[in-house]
C-alpha cells in the first residue's frame, strides 16, 4: 500500500509540475499580472479534456520531464536543505521559458515538491499578498483543476487559504489547501507561494487526509528548514 500511495503522490506532483510549465509560456517583466484561465496541459497522446488513466498520465509526464531535463537547471537563489526523514531528489529542469527547476522531497506517505522559477522576469514583488504571489497561487489552483480534468483526481475542493509562516521560520508565504478525492480516498494538497530574490518559490505538499502526529511534525520540520534556509541566504 505504501508503494502504491507513493506512486500516486509522485504522479500527482509530477503532473502539476507539467501543468505549471504549461502556464509559464509567457515572459513578462511586469509584476501586475492577471491570473489566466486553467492552463492547458500539453501531455503527449492526451487531449486537454480527455479523462486518462493514471498510468497514461504518468507516462506522459515522464516523457515531458525527460525532454525538459536535457537542459541544466539554473543556480538556486538559496541553499536548498537536505532534511532528516526526507529523501531529496535531484533537480528536474523546467522548460527554458520558465527558467527554473523542481526538487522533490519524498516520504513513504507524503510528497513535497519545491518549484523554483522566474518565468524570465527581471523583477518580481516579494509581497506575499501582492499581485505576483496571488497570480502564482491562482495558476497553481488552476493546475489542480486541470489535474481533475485529466483524471488524476475525481474532485478537488478548496478548503482553506491565508498568509502563513513556513513552519516556525520567519518566512511568510501565501497558502491554500485543497481536499482531493481519488476513487473514494481523500488526499490533502497544501500549496505555499513566496517570492525570494526575484524568484518564485512554491511548495506543493501532498499527504493523506488523516496524518499521524509524527507525519505532521515531519512536515512542519521540513517547512521550517526550507523557510530558515531562505532567511539564511538573505
Amino acid at each position: 500500500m505504501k508503494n502504491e500511495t507513493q506512486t500516486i503522490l509522485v504522479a500527482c506532483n509530477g503532473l502539476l509540475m507539467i501543468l505549471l510549465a504549461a502556464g509559464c509560456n509567457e515572459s513578462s517583466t511586469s509584476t501586475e499580472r492577471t491570473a489566466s484561465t486553467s492552463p492547458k496541459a500539453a501531455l503527449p497522446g492526451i487531449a486537454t479534456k480527455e479523462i486518462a488513466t493514471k498510468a497514461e498520465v504518468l507516462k506522459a509526464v515522464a516523457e515531458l520531464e525527460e525532454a525538459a531535463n536535457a537542459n541544466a537547471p539554473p543556480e538556486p537563489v538559496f541553499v536548498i536543505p537536505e532534511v532528516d526523514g526526507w529523501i531529496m531528489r535531484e533537480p528536474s529542469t523546467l522548460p527554458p521559458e520558465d527558467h527554473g527547476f523542481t526538487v522533490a522531497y519524498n516520504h513513504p506517505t507524503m510528497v513535497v515538491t519545491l518549484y523554483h522559477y522566474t518565468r524570465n522576469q527581471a523583477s518580481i514583488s516579494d509581497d506575499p499578498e501582492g499581485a505576483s504571489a496571488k497570480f502564482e497561487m491562482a495558476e497553481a489552483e488552476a493546475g489542480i483543476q486541470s489535474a481533475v480534468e485529466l483524471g488524476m483526481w475525481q474532485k478537488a475542493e478548496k478548503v482553506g487559504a491565508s498568509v502563513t509562516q513556513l513552519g516556525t521560520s520567519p518566512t511568510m508565504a501565501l497558502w491554500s489547501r485543497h481536499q482531493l478525492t481519488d476513487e473514494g480516498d481523500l488526499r490533502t494538497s497544501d500549496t505555499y507561494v513566496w517570492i525570494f530574490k526575484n524568484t518564485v518559490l512554491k511548495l506543493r505538499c501532498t499527504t493523506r487526509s488523516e496524518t499521524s502526529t509524527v507525519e505532521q511534525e515531519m512536515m512542519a520540520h521540513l517547512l521550517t528548514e526550507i523557510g530558515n534556509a531562505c532567511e539564511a541566504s538573505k
Side-chain angles (χ1 to χ4, degrees):
M1 179 62 71
K2 285 185 177 180
N3 289 339
E4 180 181 357
T5 299
Q6 182 74 357
T7 298
I8 291 171
L9 297 185
V10 169
C12 176
N13 278 19
L15 172 61
L16 291 171
M17 181 193 76
I18 299 303
L19 293 173
L20 167 69
C24 289
N25 54 11
E26 294 182 6
S27 298
S28 172
T29 57
S30 172
T31 60
E32 298 298 323
R33 305 183 66 192
T34 302
S36 67
T37 56
S38 178
K40 302 302 182 183
L43 297 179
I46 300 175
T48 302
K49 295 294 184 180
E50 180 181 345
I51 300 300
T53 66
K54 289 186 177 68
E56 290 171 334
V57 172
L58 184 57
K59 179 176 181 293
V61 168
E63 291 176 4
L64 291 173
E65 285 180 331
E66 183 178 359
N69 280 324
N71 300 308
E75 289 296 316
V77 293
F78 73 107
V79 179
I80 300 175
E82 294 189 29
V83 181
D84 290 343
W86 295 84
I87 298 174
M88 188 174 76
R89 302 299 185 185
E90 291 296 317
S92 293
T93 308
L94 289 170
E97 60 267 26
D98 305 324
H99 188 245
F101 60 86
T102 68
V103 173
Y105 288 90
N106 291 351
H107 175 274
T109 60
M110 302 182 287
V111 172
V112 174
T113 303
L114 170 68
Y115 303 82
H116 176 297
Y117 60 95
T118 68
R119 301 186 198 269
N120 290 304
Q121 298 177 86
S123 178
I124 311 175
S125 169
D126 61 4
D127 180 358
E129 297 185 87
S132 294
K134 288 180 178 178
F135 170 82
E136 298 300 339
M137 180 61 77
E139 289 289 281
E141 293 177 347
I144 290 175
Q145 294 305 320
S146 289
V148 173
E149 293 176 6
L150 285 166
M152 283 301 297
W153 311 109
Q154 280 67 60
K155 181 181 177 182
E157 179 183 4
K158 186 174 179 178
V159 295
S162 69
V163 175
T164 187
Q165 291 174 268
L166 284 182
T168 58
S169 77
T171 299
M172 302 299 293
L174 196 59
W175 164 83
S176 74
R177 170 170 291 180
H178 287 73
Q179 290 293 338
L180 310 174
T181 303
D182 176 33
E183 299 178 354
D185 292 332
L186 294 179
R187 301 278 184 264
T188 297
S189 178
D190 287 319
T191 304
Y192 299 84
V193 174
W194 71 106
I195 315 297
F196 182 67
K197 293 185 177 180
N198 291 317
T199 300
V200 178
L201 299 174
K202 182 183 301 182
L203 285 171
R204 176 86 64 185
C205 310
T206 309
T207 70
R208 301 176 301 181
S209 286
E210 295 184 4
T211 55
S212 68
T213 300
V214 171
E215 288 171 329
Q216 293 171 18
E217 290 175 349
M218 287 188 66
M219 182 65 74
H221 178 56
L222 176 64
L223 296 175
T224 298
E225 289 296 296
I226 292 173
N228 283 340
C230 281
E231 288 296 314
S233 297
K234 283 185 173 179

